[in-house]
């Protein structure tokens, strides 16, 4: 029997992707949808690029209240709530024994809440050992791409990282940035984003020591921009390593990057972790965002010069960086026995 799940923020940018990705999921079944108000039918305009299930025409959306979520019978909750709202609701659900997978920033930097990227740090799940329910965070969407791009370089020692990002409009939720502000324009500011990228990356790439995470000791600095692109964040990344690497060894590191066996067999794990482009005009959001059903991270212009490495990376912000990453986290938690069957 499939495990009943609920989606919070089900009408939003990320919530709609949750609905699509969980439709026909082999292990999970959508039991209830929650948003800011109650709707007799799913009134939201569908904006996701994935198909909209027909049953949504008659689906009820319920006002987000903890007792109603518990009553729905969901044993897993996927949260796509605004950060300021998510904190208390997610904690309350966890304390009632629910497994919560959150996209919100509220708990990401809590000492006992891991930010999981299954390909990189599944051992961090142990921060939640012994709790009644579990609370697992997703990283910020840009961070999800960055840490994937850095992971193959970890054995060489990462001294510092500098990146500039070109972030899609869907990353700001709906309705997001007013059209008059963004059309024909680039906005060099996204509130709190640069700090989130820097701290979350160091936490994800950190080591688990005596029950807590020792963040990666690297100097990470980000400079972010909002651009008039619908989906897909681009990142221009420069890394300074402890050791030198040749161009051919660098290519091999990405092509032969190994992920844990349990992760490779999850339904949401893409066949290819990375798509490495040789042509300098790729990746592009419009062409490459759906690589690996939105879960593969695309990399172009991968270059090595002494101890310096640079790349141009594309991450699907709403799938790999949000809903898809959360669903993959829940699959891994289930495989690791962290969710009661
Ligand atoms: N978009 C991305 O690429 C992305 C990536 C990673 C993480 N995140 C995070 O994921 C979360 C959701 O982002 P989003 O882009 O999907 O935002 P969004 O499009 O603005 O959607 C917000 C959702 O939350 C609901 N909501 C708003 N106020 C509420 C309230 N007072 N009570 C209950 N529900 C409420 C909305 O319901 P109504 O429609 O009924 O108002 C809507 O379903 C945020 O924490 C965001 O930081 C987003």
């Amino acid at each position: 029997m499939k495990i009943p799940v609920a989606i919070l923020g089900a009408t939003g940018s990320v919530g709609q992707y949750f609905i699509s990705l969980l439709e026909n999921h082999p292990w999970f079944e959508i039991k209830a949808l929650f948003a800011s108000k109650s709707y007799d039918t799913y009134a939201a305009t569908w904006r996701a690029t994935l198909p909209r299930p027909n049953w949504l025409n008659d689906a009820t959306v319920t006002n987000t209240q903890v007792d109603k979520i518990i009553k729905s019978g969901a044993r897993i909750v996927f949260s796509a709530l605004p950060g300021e709202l998510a904190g208390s609701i997610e904690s309350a659900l966890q304390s009632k024994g629910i497994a919560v997978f959150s996209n919100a920033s509220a708990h990401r930097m809590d000492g006992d809440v891991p930010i999981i990227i299954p390909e990189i740090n599944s051992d961090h799940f142990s921060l939640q050992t012994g709790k009644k329910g579990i609370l697992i965070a997703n990283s910020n969407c840009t961070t999800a791409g960055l840490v994937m791009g850095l992971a193959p370089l970890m054995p060489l020692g990462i001294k510092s990282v500098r990146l500039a990002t070109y972030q899609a409009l869907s990353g700001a939720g709906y309705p997001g940035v007013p059209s008059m502000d963004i059309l024909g324009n680039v906005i060099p500011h996204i509130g709190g984003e640069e700090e989130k990228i820097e701290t979350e990356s160091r936490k994800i790439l950190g080591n688990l020591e005596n029950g807590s995470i020792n963040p990666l000791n690297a100097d990470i600095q980000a400079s972010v921009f909002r651009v008039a692109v619908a989906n897909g964040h681009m990142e221009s990344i420069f890394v300074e390593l402890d050791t030198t690497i040749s161009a051919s060894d660098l290519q091999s590191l990405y092509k032969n990057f190994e992920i844990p066996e349990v992760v490779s067999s999850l339904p949401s794990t893409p066949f290819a972790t990375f798509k490495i482009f040789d042509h300098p005009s790729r990746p592009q959001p419009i062409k490459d965002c759906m690589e690996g059903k939105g879960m593969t991270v695309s990399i172009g212009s991968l270059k090595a010069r002494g101890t310096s490495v640079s790349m141009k990376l594309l991450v699907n912000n709403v799938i790999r960086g949000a809903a898809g990453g959360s669903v993959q986290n829940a699959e891994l938690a289930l495989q690791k026995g962290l969710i009661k069957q």
Side-chain angles (χ1 to χ4, degrees), residues 264-338:
S264 60
S265 61
L266 299 174
S268 296
T269 299
F271 176 71
T273 308
F274 300 107
K275 166 102 180 176
I276 306 295
F277 287 92
D278 294 329
H279 198 280
S281 71
R282 304 284 281 277
Q284 297 176 18
I286 216 163
K287 292 182 175 159
D288 304 312
C289 201
M290 288 309 292
E291 191 67 38
K293 296 183 180 164
M295 290 294 283
T296 293
V297 172
S298 296
I299 294 177
S301 303
L302 189 55
K303 291 179 191 163
R305 191 186 296 165
T307 55
S308 303
V309 165
S310 61
M311 71 190 88
K312 293 172 187 168
L313 179 149
L314 169 69
V315 61
N316 185 315
N317 56 298
V318 276
I319 300 182
R320 165 59 81 172
S326 253
V327 173
Q328 190 194 25
N329 283 347
E331 293 165 354
L332 183 56
L334 187 66
Q335 290 301 76
K336 282 181 164 275
L338 294 163

Side-chain angles (χ1 to χ4, degrees), residues 8-15 34-37 39 47 63-64 79-83 85 103-105 108 139-141 170-175 196 233 317-318 321-322:
L8 315 186
T11 52
S13 276
V14 176
F34 294 88
S36 71
K37 322 165 230 351
Y39 309 106
R47 292 172 299 274
N63 186 15
T64 309
S79 168
L81 290 174
L85 195 81
N103 280 269
S105 58
R108 282 185 199 143
S139 71
N140 163 287
C141 38
S170 57
Y174 188 81
K196 283 183 197 162
H233 292 349
N317 56 298
V318 276

Side-chain angles (χ1 to χ4, degrees), residues 31-104:
K31 190 81 181 170
L33 305 174
F34 294 88
S36 71
K37 322 165 230 351
S38 290
Y39 309 106
D40 286 340
T41 54
Y42 190 94
T45 306
W46 189 257
R47 292 172 299 274
T49 54
L50 296 178
R52 177 194 197 277
N54 282 338
W55 59 263
L56 271 186
N57 296 338
D58 306 314
T60 302
V61 179
T62 309
N63 186 15
T64 309
Q65 288 169 10
V66 171
D67 56 334
K68 289 182 181 166
I69 301 166
I70 304 281
K71 266 192 202 146
S72 75
R75 298 224 308 284
I76 296 176
V77 166
F78 292 104
S79 168
L81 290 174
E84 59 282 8
L85 195 81
S88 59
I89 293 175
E90 292 172 356
S91 297
L93 291 170
Q94 179 188 19
S95 71
K96 301 279 184 191
I98 305 279
V100 182
F101 295 87
S102 175
N103 280 269

